[in-house]
Amino acid sequence: MKFSKSSSTRNYFAAALALFVVMSAWSVSSPLGSGPDADFHISSIWCAWGEKPGVCENFDRASAQNGARIPHMFLMCNERTIESFPRCEFGAPHEEMSTYRTAGNSQMNMYYRIMRVFVVDSPTRSIITMRLFSSFIASIMFFLLMLQTRAKTRHAFLAAWSFVLVPVAINYFAAVNPRGWATLGVMSGWGFLQSLFETDRSDNKRRIGLIASFIASFALVATSRADSTLFFVFISALIVFGNLLAQNKLSRKIVMRYGLVLLGAVLLVQFV
């Protein structure tokens, strides 16, 4: 049974919308301190633009264990959120501001600075907005993959997402954690790149869309985690050289050209 292009697009949109609904439900139902190293990432976002009264105070960048005072969001125990140690006992009520671990200068990436845009007076509203924003980005990337990939590449990406999404990725995608963007970029970028090699050069519109989507995937990785950027570059290199070998187009000139592009991408990340 064959479906028209418009019918397929509606199905892809419905699938992406369903994914967004699922992640949105997680976003509004999970405690503020849920997720790995929640205190570190949340405090880093609140202090991403520097100190500000009532938002980020006493930001200590010099010590080995950076810390800052931000609006109280959750109790801590043994330097971790209370969810990790639910049997901790507290004998005094908390203050309006609490001290949490915070990223230093070398760890303050673009992810924290971008998310700082959503910080408002209400911590709960801020965190939920950030989670919904990340969920929306993940849904958009999923829709673009469904729309732009074809045949075996689409099956491969769906299989990869199925195995990774349920146990791990869905927790990161809808969380306030740079791992979400890093994981999303790595999971998506290779699908766009492989589809680019499979697309005829005469199909300019689709090729432009794939290139833009691939760049967006790289941007997600580059703004979040340096180690994931290396994974992204490595996977992209494998896809490039694999396709060039299959097409018998691999030469010293080609190797130098793509090698310089990959090297430039790695160097670019060092300045982000």
Side-chain angles (χ1 to χ4, degrees), residues 22 34 80 97 101 129 179 185 188 190 195 197-198 239:
V22 170
S34 63
R80 291 293 186 272
M97 303 284 286
R101 298 176 300 151
T129 303
R179 293 182 186 178
S188 305
W190 71 267
S195 296
F197 279 99
E198 296 171 350
I239 292 176

Side-chain angles (χ1 to χ4, degrees), residues 127-184:
I127 296 299
I128 291 178
T129 303
M130 294 175 197
R131 290 174 175 175
L132 292 175
F133 178 66
S134 293
S135 299
F136 177 74
I137 292 177
S139 301
I140 290 296
M141 297 302 288
F142 179 79
F143 174 73
L144 291 175
L145 280 166
M146 291 289 293
L147 184 66
Q148 296 178 325
T149 57
R150 298 288 188 271
K152 294 182 179 179
T153 301
R154 179 182 295 164
H155 295 158
F157 114 74
L158 283 173
W161 274 59
S162 299
F163 286 119
V164 178
L165 187 65
V166 175
V168 178
I170 195 169
N171 181 35
Y172 289 147
F173 289 172
V176 182
N177 192 321
R179 293 182 186 178
W181 286 16
T183 304
L184 177 62

Side-chain angles (χ1 to χ4, degrees), residues 31-208:
L32 297 185
S34 63
D37 299 317
D39 61 303
F40 178 85
H41 299 305
I42 291 175
S43 181
S44 299
I45 291 172
W46 257 250
C47 294
W49 295 356
E51 293 191 18
K52 181 180 179 180
V55 177
C56 175
E57 301 176 356
N58 301 332
F59 187 9
D60 183 9
R61 302 170 183 259
S63 62
Q65 183 64 53
N66 302 306
R69 288 177 62 80
I70 66 172
H72 179 83
M73 300 184 202
F74 37 78
L75 296 173
M76 299 290 292
C77 178
N78 295 334
E79 298 184 351
R80 291 293 186 272
T81 59
I82 188 62
E83 282 80 6
S84 302
F85 301 93
R87 295 185 180 181
C88 275
E89 296 181 1
F90 296 87
H94 63 78
E95 301 177 357
E96 292 185 1
M97 303 284 286
S98 296
T99 301
Y100 300 117
R101 298 176 300 151
T102 311
N105 292 330
S106 61
Q107 298 173 301
M108 192 63 72
N109 55 43
M110 284 298 298
Y111 172 87
Y112 299 133
R113 297 185 177 95
I114 294 172
M115 285 298 187
R116 176 63 176 79
V117 173
F118 302 106
V119 173
V120 295
D121 294 337
S122 170
T124 300
R125 191 168 63 194
S126 302
I127 296 299
I128 291 178
T129 303
M130 294 175 197
R131 290 174 175 175
L132 292 175
F133 178 66
S134 293
S135 299
F136 177 74
I137 292 177
S139 301
I140 290 296
M141 297 302 288
F142 179 79
F143 174 73
L144 291 175
L145 280 166
M146 291 289 293
L147 184 66
Q148 296 178 325
T149 57
R150 298 288 188 271
K152 294 182 179 179
T153 301
R154 179 182 295 164
H155 295 158
F157 114 74
L158 283 173
W161 274 59
S162 299
F163 286 119
V164 178
L165 187 65
V166 175
V168 178
I170 195 169
N171 181 35
Y172 289 147
F173 289 172
V176 182
N177 192 321
R179 293 182 186 178
W181 286 16
T183 304
L184 177 62
V186 173
M187 288 175 60
S188 305
W190 71 267
F192 296 125
L193 183 60
Q194 177 61 31
S195 296
L196 181 62
F197 279 99
E198 296 171 350
T199 302
D200 191 271
R201 289 186 175 276
S202 61
D203 194 350
N204 292 327
K205 185 176 179 179
R206 182 163 178 255
R207 288 178 63 85
I208 291 174

